[in-house]
Amino acid sequence: MGRYTGPMLSPIPTLQVALPVPLPRLFDYLSPEGEAPTAAVGCRVKVPFGNRELVGVVVGHGQADDGQGLRQALAWCDPQPLLQGELWQSLQWLARYTHAPLGEVLSTALPGPLRHGETLPDTHHWGWQLTAEGRLQRGKLRAGSRPRQLAELLAEAVVDEDVLGERMQDWRTAARSLAKRDLAERVALTVAPQHAQPLSGPTLNPDQAEAVAAINAAEGFQPFLLDGVTGSGKTEVYLQAIIHCLAQGKQALVLVPEIGLTPQTLARFRGRLGIAVHALHSGLNDNERARVWAAASRGEARVIVGTRSAVFTPLPQAGLLIVDEEHDGSYKQQDGIRYHARDFALVRAKALGIP
């Protein structure tokens, strides 16, 4: 007869984590202490690895018969998945296609601060408002003084800093004065996506008009090749297609070669589109790149113009993807993960169902 040896041990849940190391495998860890995200897959997690600490991305869940030999992850970096939806699926495709470790591909796709476990940066605007004490003391401030002028501007509601800059010179000095006395405070404002107010452009020639009509009529994924000599008006076709995209409430991503992303290019896009155009290129510091990435992931950045690595920008409301000078050699990444941004742009557009 068999004999009872004690209660059956239930399997221990584990996390399968992709780490930025040159090994084509996932690593199992026990969940970190503390509250877990509602969905763990796509979240970053800080883990011990040898005598180092690394930041990886949870790819799946597993089970272990016992936890002996498994190390516990140190901390969650995200309250909800940072990588999800189309971008998450496309990055897994890229890892398979390039035969690269998934952890290294995911790390390549993230801006530096996010790669190192920092929180998604704030992308909101700032404004100022009177405190309860400030509302009481407003009438007692010296008439005609700058603090009094600012207090009058803030009398009705919170006011955006950009608006204050338009309405009052040297308002920051007055704001600091009020803040020192706890009469005013700086507050974060949520950012609603801007509505473009584009300027009218030149009259299109028949070839341009035909191209714009074809792109704007496309339903779902459809690749187009614009062929024309320098100065033949290809950029005007891009601009018209972007204006149509913005009118649909969608985001547009424009990839350009390193040599093509000049201040003049950005100024032309911004002046014509009448909306903030966010740049992503090697001249930005890591924090600036992370802010643009975060603004795009929240749907706040409506037009993103960038070089090769901008192809990894999240586009939750995607409407159009443009690759300028698609034959340019700078779209090929030659070290680390060797990908071709033009090819990956096509894969993403197909997954997103956009022209």
Side-chain angles (χ1 to χ4, degrees):
M1 287 180 65
R3 54 197 181 86
Y4 178 71
T5 56
M8 291 280 290
L9 293 175
S10 56
I12 297 172
T14 61
L15 301 175
Q16 296 171 333
V17 181
L19 293 175
V21 293
L23 297 169
R25 51 160 295 192
L26 303 177
F27 296 87
D28 290 338
Y29 286 90
L30 301 174
S31 283
E33 293 178 1
E35 187 177 351
T38 49
V41 174
C43 289
R44 295 167 302 154
V45 65
K46 194 172 290 186
V47 300
F49 189 81
N51 56 5
R52 297 181 288 163
E53 288 183 8
L54 295 179
V55 174
V57 178
V58 176
V59 175
H61 298 277
Q63 290 184 334
D65 292 335
D66 65 68
Q68 290 188 346
L70 283 182
R71 301 177 77 177
Q72 185 173 36
L74 301 172
W76 293 104
C77 300
D78 303 303
Q80 57 197 33
L82 184 70
L83 294 169
Q84 53 187 319
E86 170 276 328
L87 181 58
W88 175 240
Q89 299 299 330
S90 294
L91 290 172
Q92 292 185 75
W93 174 89
L94 184 61
R96 294 192 299 272
Y97 183 74
T98 57
H99 295 277
L102 178 58
E104 291 198 323
V105 170
L106 299 179
S107 180
T108 299
L110 294 174
L114 301 181
R115 207 179 298 155
H116 301 135
E118 295 184 23
T119 56
L120 203 61
D122 288 332
T123 50
H124 52 244
H125 279 203
W126 291 95
W128 284 79
Q129 67 181 11
L130 293 178
T131 61
E133 183 65 20
R135 287 191 289 274
L136 291 173
Q137 299 295 331
R138 177 166 62 97
K140 299 177 184 176
L141 295 170
R142 183 163 58 85
S145 67
R146 287 196 176 279
R148 176 66 178 267
Q149 290 175 34
L150 180 59
E152 295 299 339
L153 282 176
L154 303 180
E156 299 302 324
V158 61
V159 180
D160 188 295
E161 288 187 344
D162 290 345
V163 177
L164 289 174
E166 294 289 331
R167 296 182 180 177
M168 180 179 172
Q169 288 187 337
D170 196 25
W171 66 268
R172 291 184 185 277
T173 303
R176 284 193 291 270
S177 172
L178 292 176
K180 276 183 188 174
R181 291 176 274 172
D182 291 328
L183 302 180
E185 59 189 356
R186 193 181 191 218
V187 292
L189 305 175
T190 55
V191 182
Q194 295 167 290
H195 293 288
Q197 297 173 315
L199 299 176
S200 57
T203 303
L204 298 179
N205 65 37
D207 287 341
Q208 288 175 313
E210 183 183 352
V212 170
I215 296 168
N216 291 350
E219 294 184 6
F221 171 64
Q222 194 171 341
F224 296 93
L225 176 65
L226 277 183
D227 185 28
V229 298
T230 302
S232 58
K234 296 188 293 294
T235 304
E236 184 58 35
V237 174
Y238 304 161
L239 288 167
Q240 295 276 2
I242 293 169
I243 289 168
H244 177 79
C245 169
L246 293 172
Q248 311 300 310
K250 302 289 182 65
Q251 293 171 290
L253 171 63
V254 184
L255 300 182
V256 294
E258 287 281 352
I259 199 167
L261 188 52
T262 62
Q264 291 85 350
T265 305
L266 290 171
R268 181 177 180 186
F269 272 71
R270 285 174 178 141
R272 182 66 190 290
L273 297 175
I275 196 171
V277 174
H278 298 258
L280 270 176
H281 54 82
S282 55
L284 300 179
N285 65 41
D286 282 350
N287 289 329
E288 289 170 325
R289 293 173 70 89
R291 280 180 62 83
V292 174
W293 197 96
S297 74
R298 292 171 177 146
E300 295 165 6
R302 311 306 286 172
V303 180
I304 303 98
V305 180
T307 50
R308 181 178 58 227
S309 62
V311 75
F312 298 121
T313 304
L315 298 167
Q317 296 159 21
L320 180 66
L321 218 161
I322 294 170
V323 185
D324 188 27
E325 306 286 349
E326 61 90 26
H327 57 277
D328 194 279
S330 70
Y331 286 125
K332 292 183 179 180
Q333 172 75 19
Q334 301 289 6
D335 53 355
I337 305 301
R338 300 190 178 196
Y339 65 91
H340 196 313
R342 178 204 59 200
D343 293 353
F344 191 50
L346 279 164
V347 169
R348 288 200 65 192
K350 186 173 184 181
L352 289 162
I354 60 172

